[in-house]
Amino acid sequence: MKDPASIRFIGDNDKDYKLSYTAFEQWIKKEIKVRECCVFIKMMDGELEPICHCGNVRSAHSEGIQIHSESEKWDKTTHTTLTECSALGKINFLDEDTTIQPEYIRVASDYGDRKNIQRMERLLREFWGLKQPGLLISVIGGNKSFHAPHDICLHFQHGLLNAAKSTNGWIITSGQNEGVTKLVGDIIGRSIMTTKIYTIGVACWGKTWNNEMLLRKNNKFNEATNDYSTSSPEHGTTSLEPNHSHFFLVDDGIGNRTSGRGPLGRPLLIG
C-alpha cells in the first residue's frame, strides 16, 4: 500500500495538486492529533453538571475518563493527552449572510515546531489546495474592541486588498468575530475582486463558541459540512468570523475559558 502522503491527484490547474480524500483520511489519522483532558478533577459545580479544572463539564470528556480527588492539582502536562483528530470539514454559517463555507481542522497546540508546521503546510497545499503565497500578512491585536475613523478604515481596506491581490498573499488572523479580525472579515466579505483571497484564522478551540457543533459526527471521517451558529456567545468565548476561507482551531486541552494558541499561533512558516 502506498504511503498516504504520496497519493495525489491533479487539481484544476495541472501545476497544482491535492491529496485524494481517502489518502487525506489515512494521513490525518496518522499525523494530526488533538489535545484533550484525560483526568477529570472537579473544580466547581456547574448549572447542570460539575466542571473540571480543564474548563469543560463532565459530559464533554471521553467515556471512561479517570476521575481523581478534588484535592489533586490539575496540570495540563500530566492530565491531558494527544488523541485522534475529532473536528474537520467545512462550516456552514447559519446566522450570517455569506456563501463562504470555510475549511477547518482542530489541531493540538503542540504543533509549533518546524516538523509539525510542515504538516500544517502540507494540509494547506496538498488537501486544501492553496497555492504558495508570495506574502504572509499577519493581522494581530485589537481583539476585544477596535474603533478607527472611517478614512483610516478605508485606507486599511485599500492597502490590505491590494497587498493580498498583488502578491497572491495569505492573510493570517485570530479567526475571531470581534475587533480588528472582524474588520478584516468585513473587508473580505465586501470585496468584489475576482481573485480569491485566502484568509486563514488561527483560533483557540477551547475559546470557540459552539465548538461542539464542529465535532466529527458518528466518529467517522467524511467530507462533512457542519452547521455552525455564531449567535449569543457566552462570556469568555468568541464565535468564528464567517468570511475566512480556512481555520486552524488550536487545542491545548483547556475548554471554555481563555487559553493560548500555543506555538502554532505564531505566523505559519512556508518554506
Side-chain angles (χ1 to χ4, degrees), residues 219-236:
N219 202 34
K220 294 181 180 179
F221 278 86
N222 52 48
E223 296 180 87
T225 299
N226 292 312
D227 290 339
Y228 177 74
S229 174
T230 61
S231 64
S232 305
E234 292 180 351
H235 177 71

Side-chain angles (χ1 to χ4, degrees), residues 2 8 20 22 25 49 56 59 62 74 98 122 132 160 164 190 195 202 209 211 242 253:
K2 291 184 179 180
R8 299 169 181 167
S20 71
T22 300
E25 177 179 337
E49 55 182 315
N56 285 317
S59 61
S62 302
W74 190 89
T98 179
R122 295 195 69 180
Q132 171 131 353
L160 181 66
R190 291 195 306 266
T195 302
V202 183
W209 172 238
N211 61 17

Side-chain angles (χ1 to χ4, degrees), residues 31 82 108-121 261-269:
E31 301 289 348
L82 293 175
S109 60
D110 309 59
Y111 286 12
D113 59 76
R114 182 59 187 170
K115 179 180 179 180
N116 285 310
I117 286 290
Q118 288 174 337
R119 288 190 174 102
M120 301 302 101
E121 178 187 340
R261 284 170 286 160
L264 187 58
R266 302 186 187 118
L268 295 174
L269 302 176

Side-chain angles (χ1 to χ4, degrees), residues 91-93 96-102 242-243:
I91 302 174
N92 178 41
F93 285 92
E96 305 290 343
D97 183 20
T98 179
T99 58
I100 297 174
Q101 293 188 333
N243 292 299

